[in-house]
Amino acid sequence: MTSPNPNNIDARGGTFNNFRDMISIVHTENLDLNKLLAPVDAAYNRSGPVVRCLHGTREKLIEKIVQWMDEDNGRPICWLNGPAGSGKSAVSQTVAEWCDEQDRLASSFFFFRGSGDRSKIERFIPTLSYHLSISVPSTTPFIQQILHRDPSIAQRSLSHQFKKLMVEPIRAARGPNLAAMKPLVIVIDALDECDDKELIVDFIIIVGNACQNDCNFPFRVFFASRVEEYLRKKLETRAIYSLALQDFDASSDIRKFFQSRFSTIYEENHRLMRNIPWPWPSDRDLDALVRKASGSFIFAFTLINFVDDGSQLPHRKLPIALTAHAGLDPLYTQILSSVSHGEDFKRIITTLTLLKSPLSVTSLGRLLQLETVDILHNLLEVQSILRIPSHDDQPILPYHASLRDFLTRESRSGDFFIDPPSGHIIIATKCLKVLEAFPEDGCFFIGEVQKYACNNWCYHLHQALIEEGDSHINLLADGFLMSCLTTFSTQSLQFWINTLILRHQWQVLGVLHSLILKLEMLQHIEWCAEQV
């Protein structure tokens, strides 16, 4: 691969739209699908912890889903819907695992809000196609042929991608026996956590049209999501098999979950709890906990973590949990109220909430200029709502996307509210400080935090500008931010541009262009105000 001398690039006054011309087309001679399709780690067997249905729970629901898969003339699309925290992802995980065991799984993708590519649609269909090449190896040569003819197919329309990377390869691989075979299943969880709302709706329409126009459509497609209006309009139709989680009584399943987890807690702490009679909790307390959960598995899960967070003996934490009001917001409030909120904690929780994609514990510390031990120490008391990894090279993640919603809505979080505009400004300045340390010797090896800062400083500044409210206009006059921007433009701009070119990060330039337009608009508004 060749490229022009980056030192000759003149970026002044442009929108950076022509940088793509400086990069030659990637050679596809070896047709390495992993490299060409660049799949996202979003499948059912993705790295990190996953949540699945406890054995013996959700049996009637799973039975309904399996029946849907096997209907000869049934509806090829199933939509499992329910409120936040009702266990949709656990059901999707269990369905995907069952399909894989039965050699029925084509692909799977679990969207997750605020997790970089897992919350975007850009690599969605290429990822599904890569999974298809693994689950049905005979599709590999056909996918390779498509990529050989069109290496940039990932930039084509979603309908073209789905046809060429999913439908045609399975048809070609199965040949004339396709109609006699059971359709493979595509499992797609958390549609509502995809940031590209219009495009995910387009995908639903594409799949729906393919099903209607093709009596031998080779897939069954399993969707799971909240009942968001933009999704409901497309998924609540006669042509789609709809299952509402609230139609399945979860009380007995949540009771089994509580019994299983409390039994484990009791066994792990048997010396400390030797004077506590078994069964623990009592049937009366267990009934109260089930009522409080009100069908919400995430509430049950968070409450269990609260009891077993290690800050006190479990049997002493249980009475506190029993006084919690039903619903996640009161539980979030109760957990956060027990934490000593120093400045470091506020910076850490704000950054975790607003990051575009997760950072490892080590990289988060480097971004915030804090020691790794300080990051971990500040979060020990909120382990019931944040997943603290066992290794410093892994990211800290919320157990549920509702935590971000809670923290960024003042009407819900009150004293724990995180103001997105000011938070994004802080992260943008931290990214710019990281870029100041870029080497001047042309070395292009950068670590995770440098890569994040390079790709996302302008994203955070742009987000600060487009968030609701007028506070960001004053924040832009902040001397520290302007100082960082001045240093960046004089010391780090050249290296930043060269790094983007080398790593093909063209989407960053689009965000920068939008940021420039927004700044120009604000400058014009300010000028008009001065003329009045």
Side-chain angles (χ1 to χ4, degrees), residues 20 36 44 47 56 73 78 96 130 152 167 176 181 232-233 263 274 301 314 340 379 404 412 451 465 528:
R20 187 184 299 274
L36 293 173
Y44 85 94
S47 60
N73 298 312
C78 176
Y130 180 75
S152 59
V167 177
M181 296 181 179
R232 185 198 63 77
K233 288 179 179 179
S263 176
R274 55 190 169 192
F301 184 76
S340 53
L379 298 178
R404 186 189 189 281
R412 294 173 60 183
K451 182 178 178 181
L465 291 171
C528 291

Side-chain angles (χ1 to χ4, degrees), residues 27 45 101 128 167 215 254 256 258 281 289 397 424 448 494 498 507 521 530:
H27 294 294
N45 55 355
E101 291 171 359
L128 294 181
V167 177
C215 60
I254 288 178
K256 290 178 182 177
F258 275 136
L289 292 172
L397 296 170
H424 281 296
E448 181 189 32
Q494 179 79 21
N498 293 343
Q507 70 275 17
M521 183 186 72
E530 291 175 353

Side-chain angles (χ1 to χ4, degrees), residues 17-268:
N17 290 332
N18 295 323
F19 282 158
R20 187 184 299 274
D21 297 334
M22 300 178 183
I23 303 298
S24 60
I25 298 176
V26 178
H27 294 294
T28 59
E29 295 173 358
N30 295 327
L31 294 173
D32 182 339
L33 293 187
N34 185 56
K35 180 181 290 186
L36 293 173
L37 293 172
V40 180
D41 184 23
Y44 85 94
N45 55 355
R46 60 200 176 277
S47 60
V50 298
V51 179
R52 58 179 59 84
C53 298
L54 180 70
H55 180 71
T57 63
R58 298 295 198 188
E59 292 179 328
K60 291 183 179 179
L61 174 60
I62 300 296
E63 183 181 349
K64 288 275 189 183
I65 295 170
V66 172
Q67 289 175 355
W68 158 75
M69 292 179 196
D70 292 334
E71 288 179 356
D72 290 336
N73 298 312
R75 290 161 284 188
I77 301 174
C78 176
W79 177 39
L80 177 67
N81 57 81
S86 55
K88 300 181 296 296
S89 292
V91 174
S92 297
Q93 180 71 26
T94 302
V95 168
E97 291 178 358
W98 183 89
C99 289
D100 193 38
E101 291 171 359
Q102 303 297 317
D103 294 325
R104 296 283 302 276
L105 184 67
S107 310
S108 60
F109 197 102
F110 286 66
F111 285 103
F112 192 82
R113 187 180 305 136
S115 293
D117 289 336
R118 274 187 68 188
S119 62
K120 299 289 184 183
I121 207 168
E122 183 179 1
R123 309 303 311 171
F124 172 52
I125 295 179
T127 298
L128 294 181
S129 182
Y130 180 75
H131 295 163
L132 181 64
S133 74
I134 301 298
S135 58
V136 187
S138 56
T139 62
T140 299
F142 300 103
I143 298 173
Q144 288 175 328
Q145 290 174 18
I146 296 295
L147 291 169
H148 180 70
R149 290 197 295 268
D150 186 4
S152 59
I153 193 170
Q155 279 75 53
R156 309 300 181 214
S157 68
L158 293 179
S159 59
H160 184 76
Q161 289 183 51
F162 188 68
K163 178 182 177 183
K164 294 294 182 180
L165 293 177
M166 293 297 294
V167 177
E168 290 187 1
I170 194 64
R171 285 191 182 285
R174 288 191 163 185
N177 297 322
L178 179 65
M181 296 181 179
K182 288 185 176 181
L184 297 177
V185 181
I186 300 173
V187 176
I188 303 171
D189 181 63
L191 297 173
D192 53 288
E193 297 195 23
C194 176
D195 293 337
D196 305 305
K197 293 183 178 181
E198 293 183 2
L199 291 177
I200 202 66
V201 168
D202 287 346
F203 179 75
I204 294 169
I205 295 171
I206 289 164
V207 174
N209 290 339
C211 295
Q212 289 181 354
N213 299 330
D214 185 354
C215 60
N216 291 317
F217 184 67
F219 300 112
R220 291 282 189 266
V221 184
F222 178 85
F223 291 127
S225 78
R226 300 185 196 181
V227 188
E228 300 288 351
E229 186 64 12
Y230 70 98
L231 296 172
R232 185 198 63 77
K233 288 179 179 179
K234 302 301 178 184
L235 290 167
E236 198 172 76
T237 70
R238 293 180 181 179
I240 294 176
Y241 183 55
S242 180
L243 290 170
L245 266 178
Q246 53 267 36
D247 291 342
F248 297 82
D249 185 10
S251 297
S252 61
D253 290 341
I254 288 178
R255 188 181 184 88
K256 290 178 182 177
F257 171 76
F258 275 136
Q259 288 173 324
S260 174
R261 287 295 303 273
F262 278 124
S263 176
T264 300
I265 293 171
Y266 192 89
E267 291 173 5
E268 291 176 347

Side-chain angles (χ1 to χ4, degrees), residues 346-367:
K346 292 179 182 177
R347 288 162 56 200
I348 293 167
I349 199 72
T350 297
T351 305
L352 286 172
T353 300
L354 299 177
L355 281 175
K356 185 181 180 184
S357 58
L359 286 174
S360 68
V361 179
T362 301
S363 294
L364 180 65
R366 288 172 179 166
L367 178 67

